[in-house]
mmCIF file of all heavy atoms in Angstrom:
data_model
loop_
_atom_site.group_PDB
_atom_site.id
_atom_site.type_symbol
_atom_site.label_atom_id
_atom_site.label_comp_id
_atom_site.label_asym_id
_atom_site.label_seq_id
_atom_site.Cartn_x
_atom_site.Cartn_y
_atom_site.Cartn_z
ATOM 1 N N ILE D 1318 194.900 45.010 251.591
ATOM 2 C CA ILE D 1318 194.769 46.466 251.599
ATOM 3 C C ILE D 1318 193.366 46.794 251.093
ATOM 4 O O ILE D 1318 192.798 46.062 250.290
ATOM 5 C CB ILE D 1318 195.839 47.121 250.702
ATOM 6 C CG1 ILE D 1318 197.238 46.663 251.123
ATOM 7 C CG2 ILE D 1318 195.748 48.640 250.760
ATOM 8 C CD1 ILE D 1318 198.332 47.124 250.165
ATOM 9 N N HIS D 1319 192.810 47.895 251.541
ATOM 10 C CA HIS D 1319 191.453 48.286 251.159
ATOM 11 C C HIS D 1319 191.327 48.289 249.627
ATOM 12 O O HIS D 1319 192.083 49.002 248.942
ATOM 13 C CB HIS D 1319 191.135 49.676 251.711
ATOM 14 C CG HIS D 1319 189.685 50.026 251.678
ATOM 15 N ND1 HIS D 1319 188.997 50.243 250.511
ATOM 16 C CD2 HIS D 1319 188.785 50.173 252.687
ATOM 17 C CE1 HIS D 1319 187.739 50.533 250.785
ATOM 18 N NE2 HIS D 1319 187.586 50.496 252.109
ATOM 19 N N PRO D 1320 190.388 47.515 249.069
ATOM 20 C CA PRO D 1320 190.295 47.394 247.607
ATOM 21 C C PRO D 1320 190.081 48.727 246.880
ATOM 22 O O PRO D 1320 190.642 48.943 245.811
ATOM 23 C CB PRO D 1320 189.092 46.464 247.411
ATOM 24 C CG PRO D 1320 188.996 45.694 248.677
ATOM 25 C CD PRO D 1320 189.435 46.628 249.756
ATOM 26 N N GLU D 1321 189.282 49.610 247.457
ATOM 27 C CA GLU D 1321 189.040 50.881 246.780
ATOM 28 C C GLU D 1321 190.300 51.741 246.743
ATOM 29 O O GLU D 1321 190.578 52.411 245.741
ATOM 30 C CB GLU D 1321 187.896 51.632 247.461
ATOM 31 C CG GLU D 1321 187.426 52.842 246.664
ATOM 32 C CD GLU D 1321 186.133 53.435 247.190
ATOM 33 O OE1 GLU D 1321 185.440 52.762 247.982
ATOM 34 O OE2 GLU D 1321 185.820 54.576 246.800
ATOM 35 N N ALA D 1322 191.070 51.693 247.827
ATOM 36 C CA ALA D 1322 192.335 52.442 247.846
ATOM 37 C C ALA D 1322 193.281 51.901 246.782
ATOM 38 O O ALA D 1322 193.943 52.675 246.063
ATOM 39 C CB ALA D 1322 192.976 52.348 249.229
ATOM 40 N N VAL D 1323 193.358 50.578 246.675
ATOM 41 C CA VAL D 1323 194.225 49.966 245.660
ATOM 42 C C VAL D 1323 193.744 50.330 244.257
ATOM 43 O O VAL D 1323 194.553 50.634 243.369
ATOM 44 C CB VAL D 1323 194.261 48.434 245.832
ATOM 45 C CG1 VAL D 1323 195.084 47.795 244.715
ATOM 46 C CG2 VAL D 1323 194.842 48.064 247.186
ATOM 47 N N ALA D 1324 192.429 50.313 244.046
ATOM 48 C CA ALA D 1324 191.877 50.641 242.725
ATOM 49 C C ALA D 1324 192.254 52.058 242.312
ATOM 50 O O ALA D 1324 192.591 52.309 241.147
ATOM 51 C CB ALA D 1324 190.363 50.464 242.735
ATOM 52 N N HIS D 1325 192.198 52.994 243.258
ATOM 53 C CA HIS D 1325 192.590 54.375 242.938
ATOM 54 C C HIS D 1325 194.072 54.451 242.569
ATOM 55 O O HIS D 1325 194.446 55.169 241.625
ATOM 56 C CB HIS D 1325 192.302 55.291 244.127
ATOM 57 C CG HIS D 1325 190.869 55.719 244.224
ATOM 58 N ND1 HIS D 1325 190.247 56.474 243.248
ATOM 59 C CD2 HIS D 1325 189.936 55.489 245.183
ATOM 60 C CE1 HIS D 1325 188.996 56.713 243.606
ATOM 61 N NE2 HIS D 1325 188.782 56.121 244.766
ATOM 62 N N VAL D 1326 194.905 53.713 243.294
ATOM 63 C CA VAL D 1326 196.340 53.715 242.990
ATOM 64 C C VAL D 1326 196.601 53.159 241.593
ATOM 65 O O VAL D 1326 197.340 53.743 240.790
ATOM 66 C CB VAL D 1326 197.118 52.902 244.044
ATOM 67 C CG1 VAL D 1326 198.559 52.674 243.582
ATOM 68 C CG2 VAL D 1326 197.119 53.631 245.383
ATOM 69 N N LEU D 1327 195.988 52.019 241.277
ATOM 70 C CA LEU D 1327 196.212 51.389 239.973
ATOM 71 C C LEU D 1327 195.641 52.234 238.842
ATOM 72 O O LEU D 1327 196.259 52.383 237.783
ATOM 73 C CB LEU D 1327 195.582 49.995 239.964
ATOM 74 C CG LEU D 1327 196.208 48.969 240.915
ATOM 75 C CD1 LEU D 1327 195.432 47.661 240.863
ATOM 76 C CD2 LEU D 1327 197.674 48.734 240.580
ATOM 77 N N ASN D 1328 194.455 52.773 239.067
ATOM 78 C CA ASN D 1328 193.834 53.625 238.053
ATOM 79 C C ASN D 1328 194.715 54.839 237.764
ATOM 80 O O ASN D 1328 194.961 55.194 236.605
ATOM 81 C CB ASN D 1328 192.464 54.092 238.563
ATOM 82 C CG ASN D 1328 191.381 53.998 237.511
ATOM 83 O OD1 ASN D 1328 191.602 53.493 236.413
ATOM 84 N ND2 ASN D 1328 190.211 54.481 237.840
ATOM 85 N N GLY D 1329 195.179 55.464 238.828
ATOM 86 C CA GLY D 1329 196.033 56.635 238.646
ATOM 87 C C GLY D 1329 197.357 56.280 237.991
ATOM 88 O O GLY D 1329 197.866 57.048 237.154
ATOM 89 N N ALA D 1330 197.905 55.109 238.337
ATOM 90 C CA ALA D 1330 199.186 54.707 237.763
ATOM 91 C C ALA D 1330 199.082 54.490 236.260
ATOM 92 O O ALA D 1330 199.910 54.993 235.486
ATOM 93 C CB ALA D 1330 199.672 53.427 238.438
ATOM 94 N N VAL D 1331 198.066 53.746 235.823
ATOM 95 C CA VAL D 1331 197.971 53.467 234.390
ATOM 96 C C VAL D 1331 197.609 54.731 233.614
ATOM 97 O O VAL D 1331 198.093 54.945 232.493
ATOM 98 C CB VAL D 1331 196.965 52.325 234.117
ATOM 99 C CG1 VAL D 1331 195.517 52.789 234.275
ATOM 100 C CG2 VAL D 1331 197.179 51.746 232.719
ATOM 101 N N MET D 1332 196.795 55.613 234.214
ATOM 102 C CA MET D 1332 196.444 56.848 233.521
ATOM 103 C C MET D 1332 197.654 57.767 233.414
ATOM 104 O O MET D 1332 197.871 58.410 232.379
ATOM 105 C CB MET D 1332 195.294 57.537 234.245
ATOM 106 C CG MET D 1332 194.542 58.540 233.381
ATOM 107 S SD MET D 1332 193.848 57.823 231.862
ATOM 108 C CE MET D 1332 192.778 56.552 232.527
ATOM 109 N N ALA D 1333 198.453 57.828 234.457
ATOM 110 C CA ALA D 1333 199.669 58.650 234.412
ATOM 111 C C ALA D 1333 200.640 58.111 233.370
ATOM 112 O O ALA D 1333 201.280 58.886 232.634
ATOM 113 C CB ALA D 1333 200.329 58.687 235.788
ATOM 114 N N GLN D 1334 200.756 56.800 233.292
ATOM 115 C CA GLN D 1334 201.657 56.196 232.314
ATOM 116 C C GLN D 1334 201.209 56.506 230.885
ATOM 117 O O GLN D 1334 202.020 56.855 230.025
ATOM 118 C CB GLN D 1334 201.714 54.674 232.514
ATOM 119 C CG GLN D 1334 202.379 54.235 233.794
ATOM 120 C CD GLN D 1334 203.901 54.330 233.725
ATOM 121 O OE1 GLN D 1334 204.455 55.218 233.083
ATOM 122 N NE2 GLN D 1334 204.576 53.415 234.383
ATOM 123 N N VAL D 1335 199.919 56.352 230.632
ATOM 124 C CA VAL D 1335 199.439 56.562 229.268
ATOM 125 C C VAL D 1335 199.534 58.042 228.881
ATOM 126 O O VAL D 1335 199.835 58.382 227.731
ATOM 127 C CB VAL D 1335 198.001 56.002 229.109
ATOM 128 C CG1 VAL D 1335 196.951 56.940 229.659
ATOM 129 C CG2 VAL D 1335 197.695 55.678 227.659
ATOM 130 N N MET D 1336 199.319 58.940 229.844
ATOM 131 C CA MET D 1336 199.471 60.373 229.555
ATOM 132 C C MET D 1336 200.939 60.701 229.284
ATOM 133 O O MET D 1336 201.256 61.508 228.400
ATOM 134 C CB MET D 1336 198.950 61.196 230.737
ATOM 135 C CG MET D 1336 197.444 61.124 230.937
ATOM 136 S SD MET D 1336 196.505 61.915 229.617
ATOM 137 C CE MET D 1336 196.845 63.638 229.948
ATOM 138 N N TRP D 1337 201.842 60.099 230.036
ATOM 139 C CA TRP D 1337 203.280 60.302 229.823
ATOM 140 C C TRP D 1337 203.673 59.842 228.422
ATOM 141 O O TRP D 1337 204.382 60.557 227.690
ATOM 142 C CB TRP D 1337 204.055 59.530 230.879
ATOM 143 C CG TRP D 1337 205.545 59.514 230.678
ATOM 144 C CD1 TRP D 1337 206.373 60.603 230.595
ATOM 145 C CD2 TRP D 1337 206.384 58.354 230.542
ATOM 146 N NE1 TRP D 1337 207.685 60.186 230.428
ATOM 147 C CE2 TRP D 1337 207.721 58.819 230.393
ATOM 148 C CE3 TRP D 1337 206.150 56.990 230.562
ATOM 149 C CZ2 TRP D 1337 208.800 57.959 230.236
ATOM 150 C CZ3 TRP D 1337 207.224 56.124 230.423
ATOM 151 C CH2 TRP D 1337 208.533 56.596 230.259
ATOM 152 N N LEU D 1338 203.218 58.674 228.035
ATOM 153 C CA LEU D 1338 203.553 58.150 226.711
ATOM 154 C C LEU D 1338 202.912 58.978 225.601
ATOM 155 O O LEU D 1338 203.520 59.203 224.563
ATOM 156 C CB LEU D 1338 203.122 56.687 226.594
ATOM 157 C CG LEU D 1338 203.909 55.703 227.462
ATOM 158 C CD1 LEU D 1338 203.257 54.326 227.423
ATOM 159 C CD2 LEU D 1338 205.361 55.612 227.011
ATOM 160 N N ALA D 1339 201.694 59.431 225.821
ATOM 161 C CA ALA D 1339 201.016 60.238 224.803
ATOM 162 C C ALA D 1339 201.714 61.581 224.610
ATOM 163 O O ALA D 1339 201.829 62.086 223.487
ATOM 164 C CB ALA D 1339 199.558 60.463 225.197
ATOM 165 N N ASP D 1340 202.206 62.161 225.711
ATOM 166 C CA ASP D 1340 202.861 63.471 225.634
ATOM 167 C C ASP D 1340 204.291 63.384 225.119
ATOM 168 O O ASP D 1340 204.729 64.215 224.322
ATOM 169 C CB ASP D 1340 202.873 64.135 227.015
ATOM 170 C CG ASP D 1340 201.494 64.612 227.437
ATOM 171 O OD1 ASP D 1340 200.625 64.740 226.558
ATOM 172 O OD2 ASP D 1340 201.296 64.837 228.641
ATOM 173 N N GLU D 1341 205.020 62.385 225.573
ATOM 174 C CA GLU D 1341 206.453 62.312 225.283
ATOM 175 C C GLU D 1341 206.800 61.422 224.092
ATOM 176 O O GLU D 1341 207.934 61.429 223.628
ATOM 177 C CB GLU D 1341 207.199 61.808 226.532
ATOM 178 C CG GLU D 1341 207.016 62.680 227.764
ATOM 179 C CD GLU D 1341 207.589 64.062 227.567
ATOM 180 O OE1 GLU D 1341 208.541 64.206 226.776
ATOM 181 O OE2 GLU D 1341 207.084 65.005 228.198
ATOM 182 N N GLY D 1342 205.842 60.671 223.605
ATOM 183 C CA GLY D 1342 206.117 59.790 222.476
ATOM 184 C C GLY D 1342 206.213 58.344 222.916
ATOM 185 O O GLY D 1342 206.790 58.037 223.964
ATOM 186 N N THR D 1343 205.633 57.448 222.105
ATOM 187 C CA THR D 1343 205.586 56.037 222.484
ATOM 188 C C THR D 1343 206.706 55.259 221.807
ATOM 189 O O THR D 1343 206.468 54.373 220.992
ATOM 190 C CB THR D 1343 204.218 55.424 222.119
ATOM 191 O OG1 THR D 1343 203.966 55.659 220.722
ATOM 192 C CG2 THR D 1343 203.111 56.038 222.925
ATOM 193 N N THR D 1344 207.935 55.597 222.147
ATOM 194 C CA THR D 1344 209.066 54.836 221.635
ATOM 195 C C THR D 1344 209.071 53.462 222.312
ATOM 196 O O THR D 1344 208.529 53.305 223.421
ATOM 197 C CB THR D 1344 210.387 55.548 221.932
ATOM 198 O OG1 THR D 1344 210.573 55.598 223.349
ATOM 199 C CG2 THR D 1344 210.380 56.961 221.355
ATOM 200 N N PRO D 1345 209.668 52.466 221.683
ATOM 201 C CA PRO D 1345 209.713 51.130 222.308
ATOM 202 C C PRO D 1345 210.316 51.151 223.706
ATOM 203 O O PRO D 1345 209.833 50.446 224.607
ATOM 204 C CB PRO D 1345 210.577 50.333 221.327
ATOM 205 C CG PRO D 1345 210.363 50.994 220.005
ATOM 206 C CD PRO D 1345 210.239 52.454 220.318
ATOM 207 N N ASP D 1346 211.360 51.946 223.923
ATOM 208 C CA ASP D 1346 211.995 51.995 225.238
ATOM 209 C C ASP D 1346 211.045 52.577 226.288
ATOM 210 O O ASP D 1346 210.959 52.066 227.415
ATOM 211 C CB ASP D 1346 213.268 52.835 225.191
ATOM 212 C CG ASP D 1346 214.413 52.108 224.494
ATOM 213 O OD1 ASP D 1346 214.282 50.884 224.271
ATOM 214 O OD2 ASP D 1346 215.416 52.769 224.173
ATOM 215 N N ARG D 1347 210.347 53.634 225.927
ATOM 216 C CA ARG D 1347 209.415 54.250 226.874
ATOM 217 C C ARG D 1347 208.260 53.301 227.186
ATOM 218 O O ARG D 1347 207.828 53.173 228.335
ATOM 219 C CB ARG D 1347 208.864 55.562 226.315
ATOM 220 C CG ARG D 1347 209.847 56.712 226.361
ATOM 221 C CD ARG D 1347 209.185 57.988 225.865
ATOM 222 N NE ARG D 1347 210.128 59.088 225.835
ATOM 223 C CZ ARG D 1347 210.418 59.859 226.882
ATOM 224 N NH1 ARG D 1347 209.838 59.618 228.036
ATOM 225 N NH2 ARG D 1347 211.273 60.848 226.772
ATOM 226 N N ARG D 1348 207.741 52.644 226.158
ATOM 227 C CA ARG D 1348 206.614 51.737 226.386
ATOM 228 C C ARG D 1348 207.057 50.558 227.262
ATOM 229 O O ARG D 1348 206.324 50.146 228.165
ATOM 230 C CB ARG D 1348 206.040 51.245 225.060
ATOM 231 C CG ARG D 1348 204.738 50.498 225.234
ATOM 232 C CD ARG D 1348 204.019 50.269 223.918
ATOM 233 N NE ARG D 1348 203.585 51.505 223.296
ATOM 234 C CZ ARG D 1348 202.520 51.593 222.497
ATOM 235 N NH1 ARG D 1348 201.788 50.518 222.263
ATOM 236 N NH2 ARG D 1348 202.186 52.728 221.943
ATOM 237 N N ALA D 1349 208.243 50.032 227.008
ATOM 238 C CA ALA D 1349 208.761 48.943 227.835
ATOM 239 C C ALA D 1349 208.933 49.402 229.282
ATOM 240 O O ALA D 1349 208.640 48.649 230.225
ATOM 241 C CB ALA D 1349 210.083 48.442 227.268
#
């Protein structure tokens, strides 16, 4: 798959995850 397209997907995924955890709380279950 086009590397730049994949990079945008991965970048967005990890940023969305970290924002979710920062907003909702980093409980062990959420982090897992």
Side-chain angles (χ1 to χ4, degrees):
I1318 305 172
H1319 195 291
E1321 190 169 345
V1323 176
H1325 279 297
V1326 169
L1327 294 177
N1328 224 5
V1331 75
M1332 200 58 59
Q1334 292 283 34
V1335 80
M1336 291 292 288
W1337 173 58
L1338 292 171
D1340 288 342
E1341 301 296 332
T1343 54
T1344 64
D1346 286 347
R1347 285 183 183 275
R1348 190 168 295 209

